[in-house]
Amino acid sequence: MSTSTFKTSINLDEHSQQILRKKLAAGRYQTTSEVVREALQRMDQEDIRQEAELKMLDEAEATGIDPRSHEDIWADLETKHSL
């Protein structure tokens, strides 16, 4: 992982500002940057997880185990888990 940084600014709506203030007040994070970094890491992990799940669905569909398409299975999972 690179240790270089760059400075940027972001605009947050009121709800996002409240979340940020709550996270900082809880003491787990010392800076706004820490909150943003963890949020980005979690987003990246979620993307990786979803890609892996889609790959597994494609593989399952190719085996003929489930007659539904991966889109149908994914839609069912989204509905079931309120994704």
Side-chain angles (χ1 to χ4, degrees):
M1 181 163 69
S2 174
T3 58
S4 66
T5 61
F6 74 96
K7 205 170 214 169
T8 190
S9 65
I10 58 173
N11 296 314
L12 299 174
D13 60 25
E14 185 60 36
H15 179 70
S16 297
Q17 291 175 42
Q18 289 173 356
I19 293 170
L20 179 59
R21 283 192 288 270
K22 181 180 175 185
K23 296 291 182 187
L24 292 170
R28 180 173 175 192
Y29 305 96
Q30 299 301 309
T31 66
T32 298
S33 293
E34 289 178 7
V35 176
V36 172
R37 271 193 299 273
E38 180 157 329
L40 289 170
Q41 289 170 351
R42 287 183 183 199
M43 288 170 51
D44 190 44
Q45 290 170 351
E46 178 65 15
D47 289 345
I48 292 167
R49 182 190 66 78
Q50 285 183 352
E51 287 173 15
E53 287 176 352
L54 287 174
K55 182 180 177 188
M56 287 188 296
L57 289 170
D58 283 339
E59 291 170 356
E61 183 180 14
T63 65
I65 293 171
D66 193 320
R68 299 174 295 167
S69 70
H70 73 273
E71 289 91 355
D72 291 339
I73 295 170
W74 189 260
D76 290 346
L77 288 171
E78 287 178 328
T79 300
K80 181 178 180 180
H81 297 284
S82 301
L83 301 176

